[in-house]
Amino acid sequence: MKFNEFGKSYRNIPLSLYNTFGIGGNADIFVEVATKDELKDALFFAIQNNIPYYILGGGTNVLASDEGFNGIVIKIKIQDISFNYDKKYAIVGAGVPMGALLNKAKNLGLSGLEWAAGLPGTLGGAIFGNAGSCGGSIADNIDFVEVLDPTTMTFKCITLDECNFKYRSSNFKKNGLIIIGAMLKLRDNDSVEIMNKMSENMLFRRNHQPLSERSEGCVFKNVDLSERRDIPLDIWSGIPEFSVFVKKGVVPAGFLIDRAGLKEFKIGGAKISDRHANFIVNEDNAKAKDIYDLIYEVKKRVKEKFMVELEEEVQFIGFKNKI
């Protein structure tokens, strides 16, 4: 099998065209797969030829190296979508954009996805990182997830419990299974009410996030105190806002970054957003190294000031060393 015998295959494609930072060097081979069989063939080619591969969704939460990726980038474009109104579920391909999914559900009077209004990216990426906003997350909607297991080259379904969804995390970040699609649970609602809730959530995002700038969404996870026993809460006692966050059990990463004096801090063409400190924006033709170095600096300064190790949400493509 040759690399151009499955999906749409190209050589030396700039990854900057396929992520919302608009950053990154070339992928040796870039493949768009629109069916399960095309995905299987592309993966088989990579494994049989001992070529590294990276599975790409909507490119909304990735940082591609300036040197590109020495291997095969497989972009999931499986975009089948069907709704069962009577039983209140949708079967959706991993490559379906979240915005398109939400609008189709709204037009059918099916509710449950309003939290995703304005959320970029695809369903597959949302499942991979348990994307969420405005009090909801994709875990709330999952019935089961269909995957391809690269160790056996077989398709199978993963239950909600097996996904092990946590805050901005899932088992898919560890087990190597490739998300093909999912069955989503929905519910009846009036289309006008759904639209009103979508508009409310979208307005919140516009008011608090730099949606008009090139960014990748939140760079760091908020700090979940129930999972972070290592955090010395006593050093925060002199900061009134912390008591509120401690009661809620979550400390926003943006708050820590802001209090570390990093809002609008720049390295090269990359800058911490002045609107939301947990966003890094490509302000002036930033390089991937600018973003990478800025992430490193944020982690270092927040740890120095608050004794907290921030965890990245963003995924890295083609970097030799992890921050």
Side-chain angles (χ1 to χ4, degrees):
M1 180 182 290
K2 299 178 181 179
F3 87 93
N4 59 356
E5 291 179 348
F6 43 81
K8 294 181 179 179
S9 306
Y10 313 92
R11 286 195 183 275
N12 297 317
I13 293 297
L15 292 173
S16 59
L17 301 175
Y18 293 95
N19 65 80
T20 52
F21 267 140
I23 287 174
N26 292 353
D28 288 352
I29 300 174
F30 188 91
V31 183
E32 294 181 341
V33 294
T35 69
K36 296 194 297 184
D37 287 338
E38 287 180 356
L39 171 60
K40 188 173 182 178
D41 287 344
L43 192 63
F44 182 79
F45 175 83
I47 293 172
Q48 284 295 102
N49 290 280
N50 198 30
I51 301 173
Y53 64 87
Y54 184 90
I55 306 300
L56 181 66
T60 60
N61 205 13
V62 297
L63 178 63
S65 166
D66 296 317
E67 285 72 41
F69 184 71
N70 184 22
I72 300 177
V73 172
I74 302 172
K75 181 171 176 59
I76 305 292
K77 298 202 75 174
I78 301 171
Q79 296 185 335
D80 304 319
I81 181 168
S82 62
F83 289 87
N84 184 311
Y85 184 82
D86 292 332
K87 295 184 178 180
K88 311 298 182 296
Y89 67 76
I91 297 177
V92 187
V96 173
M98 289 299 294
L101 171 59
L102 179 52
N103 282 326
K104 286 179 181 288
K106 180 258 298 179
N107 291 338
L108 290 171
L110 292 173
S111 181
L113 292 166
E114 292 86 340
W115 60 268
L119 190 76
T122 59
L123 176 67
I127 294 171
F128 182 82
N130 190 21
S133 182
C134 301
S137 71
I138 195 64
D140 303 329
N141 303 107
I142 294 294
D143 188 18
F144 67 80
V145 179
E146 187 178 10
V147 301
L148 173 61
D149 186 341
T151 63
T152 61
M153 298 302 289
T154 57
F155 301 107
K156 58 184 180 182
C157 291
I158 305 297
T159 66
L160 175 62
D161 287 343
E162 291 173 316
C163 293
N164 192 28
F165 287 117
K166 295 181 180 179
Y167 171 71
R168 302 299 176 265
S169 182
S170 74
N171 272 353
F172 301 112
K173 289 191 172 184
K174 304 172 185 176
N175 59 24
L177 300 178
I178 299 170
I179 299 165
I180 294 169
M183 178 181 281
L184 306 179
K185 300 174 291 187
L186 303 169
R187 59 183 182 273
D188 275 330
N189 202 350
D190 179 74
S191 291
V192 174
E193 288 189 24
I194 296 172
M195 189 68 234
N196 288 340
K197 188 61 177 177
M198 288 171 57
S199 298
E200 177 185 325
N201 291 342
M202 191 67 218
L203 180 61
F204 174 85
R205 291 171 65 83
R206 286 198 188 103
N207 288 339
H208 294 87
Q209 300 174 3
L211 300 185
S212 62
E213 299 177 88
R214 288 183 293 174
S215 77
E216 295 278 298
C218 288
V219 176
F220 300 98
K221 297 179 182 179
N222 292 333
V223 180
D224 186 339
L225 297 178
S226 68
E227 297 181 358
R228 298 291 301 274
R229 305 297 182 186
D230 59 310
I231 295 175
L233 298 181
D234 55 312
I235 70 167
W236 296 350
S237 58
I239 305 175
E241 294 94 332
F242 273 123
S243 62
V244 176
F245 298 140
V246 170
K247 286 180 182 178
K248 292 181 178 179
V250 175
V251 180
F255 174 81
L256 296 173
I257 297 166
D258 191 0
R259 280 303 185 100
L262 289 166
K263 213 169 194 181
E264 299 189 70
F265 182 77
K266 298 181 182 181
I267 292 181
K271 184 184 83 168
I272 302 294
S273 171
D274 56 358
R275 180 169 291 227
H276 193 310
N278 199 13
F279 280 67
I280 292 176
V281 297
N282 179 359
E283 183 182 55
D284 185 20
N285 296 315
K287 299 293 187 183
K289 187 178 186 305
D290 297 336
I291 307 285
Y292 186 93
D293 289 347
L294 191 49
I295 291 172
Y296 175 84
E297 190 66 21
V298 167
K299 292 185 70 170
K300 180 170 74 76
R301 293 204 193 182
V302 168
K303 187 170 184 179
E304 287 172 351
K305 188 171 181 65
F306 299 112
M307 300 295 291
V308 175
E309 184 80 38
L310 289 178
E311 297 179 38
E312 304 97 285
E313 286 190 38
V314 66
Q315 304 291 307
F316 299 93
I317 308 177
F319 287 87
K320 295 178 181 178
N321 299 310
K322 188 176 179 181
I323 295 176

